């Protein structure tokens, strides 16, 4: 019999409240009971985790929020919280709210699909990649593909340059360079940046030089016209009389009609996209003059009328709270229509031409993604919040309207902005660290960018912080490699590692996998598990059997994040090294 008294002094801060975890009775005890106090007016920080959890309310009254649903709870209520559900509990009573949290660490890692295609939002070739780009969609894709490859999943990664953005032509003009020359130069730097970060794509297309690609896009446009999915209509477009230019995207500086933030159509603050003619206070992005307007016949797509086609599929996707809010906000918009620009006549013929008009790049993107949306393979798409409107709403609705058999991605990997020294990375202002010019340890950088990944909110990169991280990591890995070399010289062990170390190592790898499977992909949490295990390994060095087991587990864990380091450790221990299936691509 084990009777424990609860000492108030043992309560510690956790999740914004005071908690006290009861000790386990043994290594096979899977339950984790924790007593919690919430002060009057206080609340737990909003969070989620992969374990299912139960709250039993002992005393007081609270407001329980799980996902988007909120209910009042009182003493005697039992609240069941599903895995990965974002939740918070607020004390709305007049006394301390006490509850017992019970969760279990016994769980099953979801089965992996057998065939996977991972697409990443294409970078615009109006400049090189900076670390904000790398820490967003691209490193995540590489980590996920390496993990799946190590599990013998047939995985293909796909991206390319977004050649037809008018940002490219305008940047070339400002530098007094030819469009094709400038675009080619930027594409080469983008590819060098990927190589420098050890990021590989099996397919990396160049739309401006691919005639089959362009014909596919034109055929898709004609299908949409014939099916009456897009309409030709006269619209008053913003125009610069001084530059003799129709103002769209880079040429249209205005204010978002929904949140009043500066916007060129796609608002980085609220995420809502509007055509240039709906922006407020439009000025020419080239000369700064206020816009006039001209009537032009343009093709548009009415997103509002086609949203019902994808509502059920959207509900199945695991989205961050901010993305859930964006989707909800669009669905409740009161205006009868929500027009998206498809093709328009312009003085700038930088894009694909259809019916004497310039095809807007996001319609082009939808046409290209039709093959992935029609595939039986498990499709994962990676992109930033600023493009979420297009990838979650516009493209799926357009594809579904034209081809009812298409699907949304089976899983999405999204990110917010990564800041540099507290300010947004900016190619135009040169406030950046370029991926192709980075001279530090790129393996260390991969792990560091994973740890600070802006998954659901912005995060900040500081070079001093990275250098300190890299120095400490270098020393820890040197100890581990030295120990691995010592172990390699010893004859096979006659005894096994301690049971506690076996359980610890297996638990670590299982927790890691839970954060790397496509359904739950969270490289931020996975990298933190790795860093904690590195500390555990270096601090526990001494027993060769235990050390060998931990180091082998660490080498396996590092494959997606630090592949060269993983191979070095495995080579020292004479283990089979892992080679990514696409290591020679790009």
């Amino acid at each position: 019999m084990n009777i424990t008294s609860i000492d108030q002094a043992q309560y510690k801060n956790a999740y914004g409240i005071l908690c006290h975890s009861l000790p386990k009775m043994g290594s096979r005890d899977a339950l984790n009971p924790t007593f919690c106090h919430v002060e009057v007016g206080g609340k737990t920080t909003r969070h989620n985790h992969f374990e299912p959890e139960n709250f039993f309310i002992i005393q007081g009254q609270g407001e329980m929020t799980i996902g988007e649903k909120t209910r009042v709870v009182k003493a005697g209520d039992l609240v069941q919280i599903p895995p990965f559900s974002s939740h918070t509990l607020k004390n709305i009573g007049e006394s301390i709210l006490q509850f017992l949290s019970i969760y279990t660490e016994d769980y099953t890692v979801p089965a992996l699909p057998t065939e996977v295609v991972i697409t990443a939002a294409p970078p615009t070739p109006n400049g090189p990649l900076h670390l904000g780009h790398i820490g967003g969609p691209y490193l995540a894709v590489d980590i996920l593909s390496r993990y799946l490859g190590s599990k013998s999943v047939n995985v293909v990664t796909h991206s390319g340059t977004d050649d037809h953005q008018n940002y490219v032509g305008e940047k070339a003009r400002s530098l007094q360079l030819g469009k094709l020359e400038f675009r080619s130069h930027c594409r080469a730097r983008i590819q060098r940046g990927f190589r420098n970060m050890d990021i590989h794509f099996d397919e990396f297309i160049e739309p401006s030089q691919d005639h089959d690609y362009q014909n596919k896009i034109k055929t898709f446009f004609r299908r949409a016209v014939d099916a009456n999915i897009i309409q030709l209509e006269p619209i008053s477009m913003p125009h610069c009389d001084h530059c003799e230019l129709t103002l769209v995207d880079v040429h249209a500086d205005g204010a978002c009609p929904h949140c009043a933030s500066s916007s060129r159509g796609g608002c980085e603050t609220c995420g809502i996209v509007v055509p240039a003619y709906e922006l407020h206070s439009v000025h020419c992005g080239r000369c700064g003059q206020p816009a006039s307007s001209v009537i032009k016949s343009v093709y548009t797509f009415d997103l509002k009328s086609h949203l019902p086609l994808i509502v059920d599929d959207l509900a199945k996707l695991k989205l961050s709270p901010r993305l859930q809010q964006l989707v909800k906000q669009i669905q409740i918009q009161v205006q009868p229509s929500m027009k998206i620009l498809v093709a328009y006549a312009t003085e700038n013929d930088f894009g694909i031409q259809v019916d004497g008009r310039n095809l807007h790049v996001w319609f082009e993107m939808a046409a290209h993604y039709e093959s992935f949306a029609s595939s039986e393979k498990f499709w994962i798409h990676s992109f930033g919040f600023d493009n979420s409107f297009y990838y979650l709403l516009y493209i799926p609705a357009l594809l579904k309207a034209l081809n009812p058999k298409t699907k949304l991605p089976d899983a999405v990997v999204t990110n917010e902005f990564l800041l540099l020294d507290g300010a947004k990375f900016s190619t135009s202002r040169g406030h950046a660290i370029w991926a192709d010019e980075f001279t530090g340890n790129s393996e260390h950088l991969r792990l560091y960018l994973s740890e600070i990944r802006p998954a659901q909110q912005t995060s900040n990169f500081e070079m001093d912080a990275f250098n300190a991280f890299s120095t400490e990591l270098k020393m820890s890995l040197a100890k581990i490699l030295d120990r691995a070399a010592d172990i390699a010289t010893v004859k096979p062990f006659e005894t096994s590692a301690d049971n506690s170390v076996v359980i610890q190592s297996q638990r670590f790898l299982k927790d890691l996998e839970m954060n790397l499977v496509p359904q739950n992909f969270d490289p931020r949490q996975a990298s933190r598990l790795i860093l904690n295990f590195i500390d555990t390994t270096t601090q526990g060095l001494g027993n060769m059997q235990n050390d060998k087991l931990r180091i082998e587990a660490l080498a396996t864990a590092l494959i997606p994040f630090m592949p060269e380091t993983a191979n070095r450790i495995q080579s020292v221990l004479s283990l089979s090294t892992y080679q990514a299936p696409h290591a020679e691509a790009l």
Side-chain angles (χ1 to χ4, degrees):
M1 179 181 295
N2 184 18
I3 300 176
T4 302
S5 297
I6 300 176
D7 185 348
Q8 296 297 320
Q10 291 180 308
Y11 278 79
K12 298 180 180 179
N13 286 312
Y15 300 107
I17 60 173
L18 292 175
C19 299
H20 173 55
S21 297
L22 298 182
K24 289 188 176 185
M25 292 185 289
S27 61
R28 296 183 62 83
D29 184 4
L31 295 178
N32 291 269
T34 303
F35 283 98
C36 304
H37 284 182
V38 187
E39 298 294 335
V40 175
K43 65 178 180 179
T44 66
T45 54
R46 192 177 181 95
H47 65 284
N48 63 74
H49 36 71
F50 54 75
E51 307 98 337
E53 187 173 18
N54 292 282
F55 284 1
F56 178 73
I57 310 301
I58 300 171
Q59 172 186 314
Q61 187 178 39
E63 191 175 72
M64 187 77 216
T65 300
I66 302 177
E68 300 299 317
K69 297 181 179 179
T70 300
R71 285 185 56 184
V72 173
V73 293
K74 62 184 185 306
D77 287 346
L78 178 66
V79 182
Q80 295 180 309
I81 305 170
F84 301 103
S85 299
S86 179
H87 57 278
T88 184
L89 176 59
K90 180 179 180 180
N91 185 348
I92 60 173
E94 298 179 355
S95 61
I96 289 178
L97 172 63
Q98 297 184 22
F99 68 95
L100 176 65
S101 163
I102 303 175
Y103 67 93
T104 176
E105 296 179 349
D106 188 16
Y107 59 88
T108 301
V109 177
L112 295 175
T114 56
E115 290 192 290
V116 174
V117 58
I118 311 176
T119 52
T124 303
N126 64 335
L129 293 173
H130 53 61
L131 297 192
H133 296 128
I134 297 296
Y138 306 117
L139 178 58
V141 166
D142 193 72
I143 289 170
L144 181 53
S145 66
R146 288 179 187 273
Y147 165 71
L148 293 172
S150 72
K151 295 296 179 181
S152 300
V153 173
N154 182 9
V155 57
V156 174
T157 53
H158 174 95
S159 191
T161 41
D162 193 5
D163 290 354
H164 297 130
Q165 285 273 10
N166 65 4
Y167 288 82
V168 182
E170 190 62 23
K171 182 69 173 182
R173 180 185 179 279
S174 70
L175 296 174
Q176 298 183 327
L177 295 173
K179 296 176 184 177
L180 299 182
E181 172 195 2
F182 175 70
R183 183 169 56 198
S184 178
H185 170 74
C186 291
R187 178 181 167 90
R189 287 199 65 182
I190 286 170
Q191 291 177 294
R192 286 200 302 271
F194 282 140
R195 285 193 293 270
N196 198 30
M197 296 295 116
D198 202 11
I199 293 173
H200 305 276
F201 285 97
D202 298 303
E203 301 166 354
F204 197 74
I205 63 172
E206 188 174 8
S208 62
Q209 303 302 309
D210 190 334
H211 296 296
D212 290 339
Y213 171 94
Q214 294 174 28
N215 289 333
K216 175 183 70 175
I217 304 304
K218 292 177 181 178
T219 299
F220 182 90
F221 171 80
R222 183 50 53 194
R223 286 166 53 206
V225 171
D226 293 344
N228 201 32
I229 301 301
I230 58 177
Q231 290 79 38
L232 184 64
E233 57 182 316
I235 287 181
S236 180
M237 295 288 291
H239 186 269
C240 179
D241 297 333
H242 177 264
C243 298
E244 297 183 346
L245 190 64
T246 301
L247 305 184
V248 174
D249 294 338
V250 70
H251 298 128
D253 282 338
C256 173
H258 297 277
C259 71
S261 298
S262 60
S263 173
R264 289 174 168 172
C267 181
E268 294 182 351
T269 301
C270 71
I272 297 179
V273 172
V274 298
Y277 55 82
E278 290 186 8
L279 290 171
H280 292 174
S281 306
V282 180
H283 288 66
C284 176
R286 179 180 293 176
C287 72
Q289 293 291 321
S292 63
S293 61
V294 295
I295 301 296
K296 293 209 170 190
S297 292
V298 301
Y299 282 97
T300 63
F301 172 74
D302 185 6
L303 175 61
K304 187 73 173 181
S305 64
H306 294 98
L307 269 181
L309 297 175
I310 62 171
V311 168
D312 291 342
D313 289 339
L314 275 172
K316 298 174 186 176
L317 277 180
K318 184 178 295 183
L319 302 175
S320 69
R322 192 173 181 214
L323 286 179
Q324 292 176 17
Q325 182 60 35
L326 172 63
V327 171
K328 183 178 179 180
Q329 187 176 355
I330 297 300
Q331 290 175 337
I332 63 175
Q333 289 292 322
V334 295
Q335 62 261 43
S337 66
M338 183 178 289
K339 299 293 181 66
I340 307 296
L341 191 63
V342 169
Y344 58 100
T346 177
E347 301 75 13
N348 182 345
D349 60 353
F350 198 59
I352 295 175
Q353 301 298 299
V354 290
D355 284 2
R357 295 171 177 83
N358 202 64
L359 195 63
H360 196 267
V361 287
W362 284 104
F363 184 88
E364 173 190 334
M365 203 79 68
H368 177 56
Y369 280 114
E370 184 181 20
S371 61
F372 303 113
S374 305
S375 172
E376 294 183 358
K377 293 182 179 180
F378 192 93
W379 176 28
I380 305 167
H381 189 46
S382 181
F383 54 91
F385 174 82
D386 52 328
N387 291 329
S388 298
F389 179 95
Y390 293 112
Y391 286 126
L392 292 177
L393 298 165
Y394 172 46
I395 290 176
L398 175 58
L399 291 178
K400 201 77 165 179
L402 188 58
N403 182 356
K405 294 183 179 180
T406 57
K407 63 178 181 179
L408 270 76
D410 297 287
V412 294
V413 178
T414 61
N415 62 272
E416 299 284 342
F417 288 114
L418 179 66
L419 306 180
L420 173 61
D421 298 329
K424 184 186 170 188
F425 275 86
S426 173
T427 300
S428 60
R429 298 196 313 271
H431 181 68
I433 299 173
W434 306 119
D436 62 332
E437 295 179 351
F438 181 78
T439 57
N441 189 311
S442 61
E443 289 246 311
H444 293 184
L445 182 63
R446 286 170 61 101
L447 190 61
Y448 183 70
L449 287 175
S450 298
E451 187 198 13
I452 66 169
R453 174 177 165 78
Q456 297 192 17
Q457 58 187 13
T458 58
S459 59
N460 188 49
F461 181 93
E462 294 180 350
M463 185 56 76
D464 288 345
F466 166 69
N467 287 336
F469 170 91
S470 182
T471 299
E472 184 176 349
L473 181 60
K474 181 180 179 180
M475 290 189 295
S476 296
L477 291 176
K479 291 180 182 178
I480 290 171
L481 281 164
D482 287 345
R483 185 57 170 167
D486 292 340
I487 292 170
T489 63
V490 178
K491 294 180 180 180
F493 303 122
E494 295 181 358
T495 58
S496 302
D498 296 342
N499 286 339
S500 61
V501 176
V502 173
I503 293 172
Q504 178 193 53
S505 299
Q506 291 176 344
R507 181 73 204 187
F508 161 63
L509 290 176
K510 188 176 181 181
D511 287 351
L512 188 74
E513 285 200 59
M514 196 66 178
N515 286 282
L516 290 178
V517 293
Q519 299 91 326
N520 309 325
F521 186 65
D522 186 352
R524 183 183 178 113
Q525 180 61 24
S527 64
R528 292 178 178 184
L529 287 170
I530 289 172
L531 289 168
N532 287 336
F533 196 75
I534 288 174
D535 288 342
T536 298
T537 302
T538 55
Q539 293 170 12
L541 294 176
N543 179 288
M544 280 205 171
Q545 293 93 326
N546 293 343
D547 294 347
K548 183 174 186 291
L549 185 62
R550 286 196 182 106
I551 293 172
E552 287 177 350
L554 179 61
T556 298
L558 288 176
I559 287 172
F561 296 86
M562 302 175 67
E564 288 186 12
T565 302
N567 280 345
R568 283 182 63 194
I569 295 173
Q570 291 173 329
S571 179
V572 169
L573 292 176
S574 298
L575 302 172
S576 297
T577 57
Y578 169 71
Q579 183 69 33
H582 53 237
E584 300 303 321
L586 191 59

